[in-house]
């Protein structure tokens, strides 16, 4: 689940509490998948006791309505349900779904009584810290949501598992003696620092933001910065080329492993100053606009010859899609950034021979109090 989706869930829950305080809420979480699925474990859906779908998604649109129907029972009884959807055949004729999926989806639907875990998760991500959202299925209120910070120091076996899980991007079952804890990593949103106020910066900021990436555009020329057509969430920051290190020291720019840089100043000495500073951060992606030869000259200029440092520099910037215009280059860059953050090559999916998604092993799912679990069986089962 992306940071954008997490924020939308919280915003929708707040609005529902404000506008319809008498209507209870329920949170559906995709906890396991067998075979193929449009969404992956950790995807969430917010609905209410009046059968309304409020935010999020756990499928391509085929399961949300049925899950909302079950929310009435979950909200009325205050107990969780484990719903099982078998979508391994074309169900258009039988059920009217026509999903086109080829797997089994297990969905945990639980009352959402307390918004504090979602509040804490969003606050942690915005502060660029990590943690996890946890469903403890052994608790008396099975399915209740919790948030645990990765920096928590108290003795808790779940915290040790957190330190491993928060380094991933995929949800997982904690490896306990009885694996009854489902955890979803809460990570800071990707942050792209675009250096250079230009038409290309506008396009890159627009596409990156649409893809759920936080954006800061930096330039030393304030009039050009303010002349850019950028949406409100995009930050503008005036930094002189000789004060780049000071901007980091003052905490004006992030420097963690969820941060990336696109150096597009068109000025060699300016790009060199920013490249020197970016290489001191944990950024896994530093894109350089321009030719491969120019990138080699820049690396020589900053005196970088270490292979691990050079491996973080991407030049020419972007995936090979034949990009020429600013919009095309922006698209290629944001796609390359996502590939790097997700440890992918960026090649055609039809040529990938490994599973499309990384999943942890799914245990035998625990028994959750319910008398109306939704089971859509194949013919002959």
């Amino acid at each position: 689940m992306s940071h954008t989706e997490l924020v939308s869930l919280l915003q929708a829950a707040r609005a529902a509490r404000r506008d319809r305080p008498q209507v209870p809420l329920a949170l559906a979480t995709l906890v396991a998948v067998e075979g193929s699925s449009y969404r992956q474990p950790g995807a969430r859906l917010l609905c209410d006791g009046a059968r309304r779908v409020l935010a999020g998604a756990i499928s391509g649109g085929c399961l949300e309505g049925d899950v909302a129907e079950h929310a009435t029972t979950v909200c009325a009884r205050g107990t969780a349900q484990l719903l099982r959807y078998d979508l391994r055949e074309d169900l258009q004729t039988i059920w009217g779904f026509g999903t086109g999926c080829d797997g089994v989806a297990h969905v945990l639907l639980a009352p959402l009584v307390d918004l504090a875990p979602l509040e804490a998760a969003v606050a942690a991500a915005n502060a660029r810290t990590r943690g996890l959202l946890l469903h403890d299925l052994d608790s008396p209120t099975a399915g209740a949501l919790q948030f645990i910070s990765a920096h928590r120091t108290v003795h808790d076996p779940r915290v040790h598992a957190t330190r491993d899980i928060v380094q991933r991007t995929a949800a997982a079952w904690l490896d306990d003696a009885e694996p009854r804890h489902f955890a979803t990593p809460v990570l800071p949103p990707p942050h792209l620092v675009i250096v250079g106020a230009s038409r290309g910066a506008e396009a890159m900021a627009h596409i990156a933001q649409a893809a759920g990436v936080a954006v800061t555009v930096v330039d030393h020329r304030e009039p050009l910065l303010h002349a850019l057509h950028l949406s409100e969430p995009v930050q503008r920051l005036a930094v002189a080329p000789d004060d780049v290190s000071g901007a980091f020291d003052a905490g004006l720019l992030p420097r963690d492993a969820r941060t990336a840089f696109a150096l597009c100043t068109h000025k060699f000495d300016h790009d060199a100053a920013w490249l020197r500073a970016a290489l001191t951060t944990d950024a896994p992606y530093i894109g350089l606009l321009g030719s491969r030869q120019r990138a080699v000259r820049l690396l020589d200029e900053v005196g970088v010859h270490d292979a691990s440092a050079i491996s973080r520099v991407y030049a020419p910037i972007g995936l090979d899609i034949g990009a020429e215009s600013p919009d095309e280059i922006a698209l290629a860059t944001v796609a390359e950034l996502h590939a790097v953050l997700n440890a992918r090559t960026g090649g055609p999916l039809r040529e990938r021979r490994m599973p499309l998604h990384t999943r942890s092993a799914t245990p035998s799912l625990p028994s959750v109090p319910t008398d109306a679990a939704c089971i859509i069986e194949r013919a002959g089962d």
Side-chain angles (χ1 to χ4, degrees):
M1 182 176 63
S2 70
H3 179 70
T4 302
E5 290 179 301
L6 180 61
V7 170
S8 69
L9 284 175
L10 177 58
Q11 291 175 338
R14 286 172 174 168
R17 287 284 174 83
R18 181 190 66 239
D19 300 336
R20 297 181 294 274
Q22 74 284 1
V23 181
L25 301 175
L27 186 66
T29 304
L30 184 61
V31 296
V33 169
E34 304 167 42
S36 64
S37 173
Y38 183 79
R39 297 301 307 267
Q40 297 306 302
R44 287 185 166 87
L45 170 75
L46 179 69
C47 43
D48 67 14
R51 301 181 176 88
R52 281 184 285 245
V53 173
L54 304 179
I58 55 171
S59 74
C62 52
L63 303 181
E64 282 71 9
D66 190 76
V67 171
E69 289 289 330
H70 284 279
T72 59
T73 301
V74 164
C75 290
R77 298 184 178 179
T79 57
Q81 290 186 355
L82 189 60
L83 311 179
R84 176 177 179 270
Y85 294 93
D86 189 336
L87 308 174
R88 289 173 292 185
E89 290 187 353
D90 184 356
L91 303 178
Q92 178 65 46
T93 302
I94 303 174
W95 300 99
F97 281 0
T99 64
C101 298
D102 187 24
V104 179
H106 298 270
V107 179
L108 178 68
L109 181 61
L112 183 62
V113 179
D114 187 4
L115 301 189
L118 291 179
E119 299 271 7
V122 170
N126 287 340
R128 306 202 69 76
T129 59
R130 297 173 179 241
L132 62 79
L133 284 169
L134 185 75
H135 285 290
D136 184 351
L137 301 186
D138 280 333
S139 67
T141 55
L145 191 65
Q146 305 171 60
F147 175 74
I148 297 180
S149 171
H151 301 291
R152 188 171 172 179
T153 57
V154 299
H155 179 69
D156 186 330
R158 296 171 301 180
V159 176
H160 297 290
T162 301
R163 291 173 184 150
D164 174 52
I165 290 177
V166 295
Q167 302 305 319
R168 315 176 192 175
T169 57
W173 290 88
L174 299 192
D175 188 17
D176 297 334
E178 293 185 11
R180 296 177 183 269
H181 301 92
F182 181 77
T184 307
V186 174
L187 306 174
H191 194 130
L192 176 61
V193 179
I194 305 170
V195 184
S198 65
R199 168 71 182 87
E202 288 180 344
M204 200 174 295
H206 176 73
I207 293 175
Q209 186 186 12
V213 178
V215 179
T216 299
V217 180
V218 182
D219 202 292
H220 64 289
R221 302 161 295 183
E222 291 195 50
L224 285 182
L225 265 179
H226 292 292
L228 294 177
H229 297 287
L230 302 173
S231 59
E232 188 63 31
V234 176
Q235 300 179 12
R236 307 168 199 245
L237 183 63
V239 178
D242 58 357
D243 193 31
V244 176
S245 297
F248 285 103
D249 294 340
L252 300 178
L253 292 169
R255 53 190 310 144
D256 55 66
R258 299 280 289 170
T259 299
F261 293 86
L263 309 186
C264 314
T265 70
H266 300 285
K267 293 183 178 294
F268 186 86
D269 56 339
H270 291 187
D271 277 351
W274 278 98
L275 177 59
R276 185 178 292 106
L279 285 169
T280 67
T281 73
D282 294 329
Y285 181 89
I286 304 170
L288 297 179
L289 189 66
S291 68
R292 184 175 290 104
Q293 291 76 15
R294 184 175 185 271
V296 171
R297 288 175 52 218
L298 280 168
L299 288 168
D300 286 340
E301 176 70 19
V302 301
V304 173
H305 305 286
D306 179 68
S308 62
I310 294 175
S311 68
R312 297 189 287 144
V313 177
Y314 290 78
I317 197 169
L319 296 181
D320 182 10
I321 61 172
E324 292 188 15
S325 71
D327 298 281
E328 293 168 345
I329 293 171
L331 176 64
T333 300
V334 175
E336 184 176 51
L337 166 59
H338 275 280
V340 170
L341 289 177
N342 293 311
R344 295 297 184 92
T345 63
L349 285 176
R350 70 176 183 179
E351 296 179 7
R352 183 176 174 85
R353 296 296 174 258
M354 298 174 64
L356 296 185
H357 303 284
T358 301
R359 298 178 187 154
S360 63
T362 301
S364 297
L365 293 179
S367 176
V368 178
T370 177
D371 59 5
C374 178
I375 303 178
I376 303 176
E377 300 287 2
R378 293 189 301 170
D381 280 358

